[in-house]
Amino acid sequence: MVDNPLSGNYEEEKASMKKAIWQHWTGAFLVFIMMATALLGPGSLSPVQAAAPLTVSQAIAAQSGGGTATVEGYIVGHATGSLTAKFTSPYANDFNFLIADSATEKTNAKLLDVQIPASYRSQYGLATNPNLVGQKVIVTGTLGAYNSYAGVKNPTSIALSSGTTNPDPDPGTTLPDGTGKKVLFDNSHAQTAGAADWALPWIS
C-alpha cells in the first residue's frame, strides 16, 4: 500500500482552518463583550427603585389579604381598647400607636393600629414618647386586625419617615443663633414651636 503524501497536508490544513475559525469567533465574541461593557457601563443603567410604602388607606384596603407590608403614616394617638382611642397625652402604655394619612385624622375607619414589640417600646411607645404624635413614621409588619382596628402586627422595623430611628427625647436645644434653650411644650405646640416655646438667656 502506497501512502498518499497529500493526506497529511490535508489533515494539517483542516486543523489549521478549524483553529482559524475558532480564533475568529473568539475574537468576535470578545469585541462584542467589550462593546456591551462600554454601552452598559456604570451609570448607564437606572438604579433599582425600592417599592414605595403603602399609604394607611391602602394598608386598610389590603387587610383581608394579610401578608407583610411597609406602611407610612402620621402617628395620631393610642388605641385604648376595641375601637376606642386617645389622641392626647398622657397615654396609658407603650403597646401601640395609631397612624393615619392625615396628622389630624380621628375617624376609626381611617386609622391603622400598630402593635409595638417590646424592643421598640422605649423609642416609639406613646406613654414614654408623647412628642411622637404628629410625626410621620414608616412601619414594616404583618397586616391584620389589632384592637378591632385595621392593623400592623409584629413589626420588624419602625422608623421615623425622616430616617431617624431614635427620636431625641431631650427638649433642650439651642436657638438658631446658638443662644437660649428650648423648653418643654405640650402636644398642642408639638408641630410648630414659636417664640413662646423658648427660654431666652436674658430672662431665664
Side-chain angles (χ1 to χ4, degrees):
M1 181 175 179
V2 178
D3 292 333
N4 183 358
L6 296 178
S7 63
N9 291 339
Y10 173 77
E11 292 300 326
E12 289 177 4
E13 288 176 2
K14 186 177 179 181
S16 178
M17 185 175 294
K18 286 183 177 180
K19 183 176 180 181
I21 292 172
W22 173 254
Q23 289 176 338
H24 170 77
W25 286 110
T26 301
F29 180 74
L30 290 175
V31 169
F32 173 79
I33 293 297
M34 291 172 66
M35 291 176 64
T37 302
L39 290 173
L40 302 176
S44 62
L45 294 177
S46 299
V48 176
Q49 299 293 326
L54 298 179
T55 63
V56 171
S57 59
Q58 288 172 335
I60 292 172
Q63 287 287 296
S64 60
T68 300
T70 298
V71 187
E72 183 176 36
Y74 293 95
I75 297 176
V76 297
H78 170 77
T80 56
S82 178
L83 290 180
T84 58
K86 196 168 189 295
F87 300 101
T88 56
S89 63
Y91 299 100
N93 57 56
D94 291 328
F95 298 161
N96 74 81
F97 57 67
L98 293 163
I99 61 174
D101 288 326
S102 165
T104 58
E105 186 62 69
K106 292 181 174 61
T107 305
N108 281 340
K110 296 182 179 180
L111 303 179
L112 195 69
D113 193 14
V114 178
Q115 182 182 30
I116 307 177
S119 58
Y120 286 105
R121 288 173 191 164
S122 63
Q123 292 175 293
Y124 295 102
L126 294 188
T128 303
N129 306 282
N131 59 303
L132 289 176
V133 172
Q135 298 197 46
K136 209 168 193 180
V137 70
I138 299 177
V139 180
T140 299
T142 303
L143 297 177
Y146 187 55
N147 287 322
S148 297
Y149 287 93
V152 177
K153 298 185 291 187
N154 303 312
T156 56
S157 174
I158 302 176
L160 294 184
S161 191
S162 63
T164 303
T165 57
N166 185 18
D168 183 5
D170 180 13
T173 308
T174 57
L175 286 166
D177 65 358
T179 63
K181 187 174 183 181
K182 193 176 182 181
V183 298
L184 283 169
F185 50 94
D186 60 27
N187 286 335
S188 64
H189 292 78
Q191 295 305 298
T192 54
D197 296 314
W198 300 93
L200 301 177
W202 55 87
I203 59 173
S204 57

